[in-house]
């Protein structure tokens, strides 16, 4: 999975000037009106920095969370809407605008979609109903997958070989369930039971909308829940799946077929359209695939047909007529607490950004991005990189041997900023102005073919994993690259008119965060070339693990909603990246002219402004149900703990706000964790 500085993907505007230094401005980058000065900064810095904002800013009815990033998302959605509406109104301008505009026009033609009802999925449901043997079920699973209709039981696709990143290889992973995490099936707390009840209602509703009588729809829902619960029992947990060594299990095609006698992988690969013969593949959870093989034999034909039909329905529900969309929202509402549906234009804008991101991205870059921002970002990235270099050299817990390898990896980072140097043009993809579901399926099919056609070809090092408008960033271990899309270059991350304290506390910490991901509990297991390879001495690895375990214990102690604990092991990579990223950004900031001074702006010292902007980056209000869901599924800690957690380990924070023993965030110096 991509390593991110933020828990979700948004889009953003960009306002730039030619100067990279602070200018005369009416902007107030730190607004005391948002702060709660009655809270001691050493007791809860997040509330000190954001308390009045938190008290006075409700979550809008169509959202599950509202904060700095969500505000950008709302404004950015409006920007994408404007681009899409312009493209839809001018389809003859050029091929780029025609395809993007036609897709949006089809997506917004709700009257045409309403007339179709369940008709778009009925042929696929009827095909499944006609299956008369288990062998036909197996063949049909491959048909559904290869036509991008659904992905039953497991995931499969082409990726880089983690131990030989110069080549692509087929990877197979666990799957087969619909709820966001296996624990929703297996835990018996009140919340999990409630969600399972709502889930069975949702399943039954979709079957009824597709023509099943109520008694049969209810029976089908029970079948699905029972089957998916059985599958969930065989899955690895999210924490287990954080171990890249455990997930790397290479098999020859014949050897995997021998372990799963009901699944002939050579036949499967042929039916899935893989034209290049493979001698091996990677299986993340071999025990799961053995289990799936046994389940195929133990489950009745009738139940498999219900399961496959459900896969078709759930994949299409959000894009069918209003009854389906409303049922889909009702279930999501039970999961998250969201009060109103997101407006259709906003859902469709996000959909097209996901499906045709590098066509829409070109329109976005042309209108909202300035190359001056790219140059300034590269300067910041290089500053952070040099600071990280210096910090590695000064580590007192790492041997010179491992330091040299760490430095080699640090300086091997590929840096991508703004947008791709080479755009995807989606050759062969047909978009029709009057065929929304068809457009969506053809996009999915194009993506599927694009993926499987990589086999036997050189690794595409120019490819991006995010679209240009995305307010996010990521580190790729296998490519050893750090990537910053155009959309993240906006306040509170970055502003040309802001002083260095603001930019280093914002985008500087993001840059440091992504760099640190190369050396977190997962990233550190990949070498400078991106290969999964142990380059550490045992003593250094043991020392790293000891310090990482301190971070696990720290975050395990954090609680939300009175009783739900943060999972320190699940969130370890992000917590390490926050701690490392903020520490590196602060030291880099201290090399600037402002960082070396004590001149106050709006009553705050440079160091105080640095930490205040870090805290306001993470301010948000979130609905209780959404917060509970994120504790189970999100590899990032809640915003309050992302803001406060790293600070408790940083001496500079203690000095900046005179934090003393007795304050709630105080940690004795010997208990503060320093890794990078």
């Amino acid at each position: 999975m991509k390593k991110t500085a933020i828990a979700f993907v948004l889009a953003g505007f960009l306002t730039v000037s030619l100067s990279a230094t602070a200018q005369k401005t009416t902007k107030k980058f730190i607004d005391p009106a948002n702060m709660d000065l009655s809270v001691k900064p050493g007791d809860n810095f997040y509330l000190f920095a954001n308390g009045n904002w938190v008290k006075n800013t409700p979550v809008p009815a169509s959202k599950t969370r509202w904060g700095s990033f969500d505000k950008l998302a709302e404004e950015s959605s409006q920007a994408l809407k404007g681009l899409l509406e312009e493209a839809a109104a001018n389809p003859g301008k050029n091929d780029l605008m025609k395809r993007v505009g036609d897709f949006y026009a089809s997506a917004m033609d709700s009257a045409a979609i309403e007339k179709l009802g369940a008709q778009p999925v009925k042929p696929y449901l009827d095909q499944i109903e006609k299956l008369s043997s288990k062998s036909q079920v197996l063949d049909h699973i491959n048909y559904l997958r290869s036509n991008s209709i659904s992905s039953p039981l497991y995931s499969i696709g082409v990726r880089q070989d983690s131990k030989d990143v110069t080549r692509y290889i087929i990877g197979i992973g666990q799957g087969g369930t619909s709820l966001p995490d296996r624990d929703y099936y297996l835990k018996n707390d009140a919340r999990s039971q409630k969600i399972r009840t709502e889930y069975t209602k949702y399943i039954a509703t979709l079957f009824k909308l597709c023509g099943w009588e109520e008694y049969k729809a209810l029976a089908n829902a029970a079948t699905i829940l029972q089957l998916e619960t059985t599958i969930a029992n065989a899955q690895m947990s999210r924490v287990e799946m954080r171990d890249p060594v455990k997930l790397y299990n290479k098999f020859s095609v014949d050897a995997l077929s021998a372990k799963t006698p009901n699944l002939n992988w050579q036949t499967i690969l042929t039916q899935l359209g893989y034209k290049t013969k493979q001698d091996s593949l990677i299986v993340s959870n071999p025990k799961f695939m053995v289990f799936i093989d046994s389940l195929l034999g133990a489950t009745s034909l009738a139940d498999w047909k219900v399961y496959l039909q459900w896969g078709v329905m759930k994949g299409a529900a959000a894009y069918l007529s209003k009854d389906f969309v409303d049922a889909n929202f009702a279930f999501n509402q039970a999961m998250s607490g969201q009060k109103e549906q997101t407006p259709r234009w906003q859902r469709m804008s996000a959909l097209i950004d996901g499906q045709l991101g590098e066509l829409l991205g070109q329109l976005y870059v042309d209108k909202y991005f300035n190359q001056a921002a790219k140059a300034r970002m590269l300067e910041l990235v290089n500053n952070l990189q040099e600071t990280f270099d210096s910090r590695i050299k000064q580590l007192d817990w790492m041997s010179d041997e491992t330091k040299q390898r760490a430095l080699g990896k640090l300086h091997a980072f590929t840096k991508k900023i703004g947008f791709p140097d080479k755009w995807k043009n989606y050759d062969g993809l047909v978009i029709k102005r009057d065929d929304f579901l068809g457009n969506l399926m053809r996009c999915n099919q194009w993506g599927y073919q694009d993926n499987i056609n990589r086999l036997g070809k050189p690794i595409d090092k120019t490819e991006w994993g995010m679209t240009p408008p995305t307010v996010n960033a990521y580190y790729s271990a296998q490519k050893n690259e750090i990537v910053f899309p155009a959309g993240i270059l906006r306040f509170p991350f970055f502003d040309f008119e802001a002083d260095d304290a603001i930019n280093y506390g914002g985008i500087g910490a993001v840059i440091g965060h992504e760099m640190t991901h190369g050396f977190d509990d997962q990233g550190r297991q990949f070498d400078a070339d991106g290969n999964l390879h142990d380059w550490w001495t045992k003593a250094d690895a043991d020392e790293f693990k000891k310090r990482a375990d301190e971070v696990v214990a720290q975050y395990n102690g954090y609680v939300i909603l009175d009783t739900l604990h943060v999972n320190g092991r699940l969130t370890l990579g992000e917590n390490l990246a926050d701690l490392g990223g903020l520490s590196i950004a602060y030291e880099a900031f201290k090399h600037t002219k402002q960082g070396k001074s004590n001149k106050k702006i709006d009553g705050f010292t440079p160091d105080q402004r640095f930490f205040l902007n870090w805290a306001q980056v993470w301010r948000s209000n979130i609905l209780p149900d959404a917060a509970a869901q994120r504790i189970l599924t999100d590899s990032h800690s809640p915003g309050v703990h992302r803001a406060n957690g790293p600070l408790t380990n940083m001496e500079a924070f203690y000095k900046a706000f005179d934090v003393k023993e007795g304050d709630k965030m105080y940690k004795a110096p010997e208990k503060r964790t320093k890794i990078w």
Side-chain angles (χ1 to χ4, degrees), residues 435-603:
D435 187 14
F436 171 55
L437 265 298
N439 290 334
L440 183 55
M441 288 192 64
R442 285 187 291 274
C443 283
N444 289 338
Q445 183 62 19
W446 188 94
Y448 178 85
Q449 290 296 327
D450 183 58
N451 178 261
I452 69 173
N453 288 341
R454 296 177 186 197
L455 281 177
K457 295 179 181 177
I459 299 296
D460 184 359
K461 293 185 177 181
T462 69
E463 185 179 41
W464 280 50
M466 290 180 178
T467 63
T470 303
V471 181
N472 210 329
Y474 69 91
Y475 168 76
S476 167
Q478 291 175 330
K479 291 184 178 178
N480 196 29
E481 66 181 14
I482 49 177
V483 185
F484 305 95
I488 199 170
L489 302 182
R490 187 172 183 234
F491 181 75
F493 296 107
F494 175 82
D495 193 302
F496 268 95
E497 297 182 12
D499 51 298
D500 281 330
I502 298 300
N503 283 333
Y504 276 87
I507 197 65
V510 172
I511 294 167
H513 176 108
E514 300 311 332
M515 288 182 175
T516 306
H517 269 314
F519 303 91
D520 70 13
D521 61 309
Q522 291 177 305
R524 75 173 192 86
Q525 299 184 67
F526 295 81
D527 64 20
D529 295 323
N531 288 307
L532 183 58
H533 167 67
D534 188 357
W535 48 271
W536 293 61
T537 67
K538 184 180 185 305
D540 291 337
D542 289 344
E543 185 62 32
F544 173 90
K545 290 173 186 174
K546 183 184 83 172
R547 291 164 184 254
D549 284 344
E550 292 174 4
V551 176
V552 172
Q554 175 183 341
Y555 283 81
N556 277 341
Y558 292 141
V559 178
I560 66 164
L561 304 177
D562 298 324
T563 59
L564 289 179
H565 282 256
V566 175
N567 186 334
R569 191 65 65 183
L570 175 63
T571 58
L572 177 59
E574 299 300 332
N575 299 333
L576 292 175
D578 282 344
L579 174 58
L582 189 63
S583 300
I584 296 162
Y586 175 76
E587 185 171 329
F589 166 61
K590 297 304 284 183
H591 295 155
T592 68
K593 182 179 178 180
Q594 185 190 20
K596 294 173 183 176
S597 79
N598 287 310
K599 184 179 179 181
K600 292 184 178 181
I601 299 176
D602 295 332

Side-chain angles (χ1 to χ4, degrees), residues 320-471:
L320 296 173
S321 59
K322 186 176 184 299
D323 287 345
F324 286 90
V325 173
D326 288 349
N328 178 258
F329 173 70
F331 174 62
N332 289 330
Q333 185 176 45
M335 294 281 293
S336 69
Q338 183 175 335
K339 294 178 177 61
E340 293 179 2
Q341 283 193 48
T342 305
R344 184 173 187 87
W345 66 262
Q346 204 162 36
R347 286 181 277 130
M348 296 304 107
S349 297
L351 175 69
I352 295 170
D353 185 39
Q355 295 286 357
L356 297 178
E358 292 196 20
L359 296 185
L360 183 56
Q362 291 176 58
L363 298 177
Y364 176 86
V365 166
D366 285 346
K367 188 164 186 177
Y368 295 113
F369 192 69
N370 186 307
Q371 288 289 350
K374 193 167 187 173
R376 175 58 173 153
M377 268 297 290
L378 186 58
E379 179 185 336
L380 286 167
V381 170
N382 290 338
N383 289 349
L384 269 290
Q385 191 175 35
E386 288 306 312
T387 300
F388 202 173
D389 175 293
S390 174
R391 291 176 70 86
I392 290 173
K393 289 174 179 174
Q394 295 173 35
L395 291 176
D396 59 6
W397 59 269
M398 180 179 279
S399 69
D400 288 341
E401 179 183 351
T402 307
K403 282 181 183 178
Q404 290 308 307
R405 293 170 181 162
L407 291 168
K409 178 171 184 176
L410 173 67
H411 289 288
F413 281 158
T414 298
K415 304 158 191 173
K416 296 180 177 179
I417 299 168
F419 53 89
D421 294 326
K422 184 180 75 175
W423 295 100
K424 286 183 181 178
N425 57 18
Y426 305 88
D427 282 341
L429 174 59
V430 176
I431 300 294
K432 299 180 180 179
R433 202 173 178 87
D434 60 353
D435 187 14
F436 171 55
L437 265 298
N439 290 334
L440 183 55
M441 288 192 64
R442 285 187 291 274
C443 283
N444 289 338
Q445 183 62 19
W446 188 94
Y448 178 85
Q449 290 296 327
D450 183 58
N451 178 261
I452 69 173
N453 288 341
R454 296 177 186 197
L455 281 177
K457 295 179 181 177
I459 299 296
D460 184 359
K461 293 185 177 181
T462 69
E463 185 179 41
W464 280 50
M466 290 180 178
T467 63
T470 303
V471 181

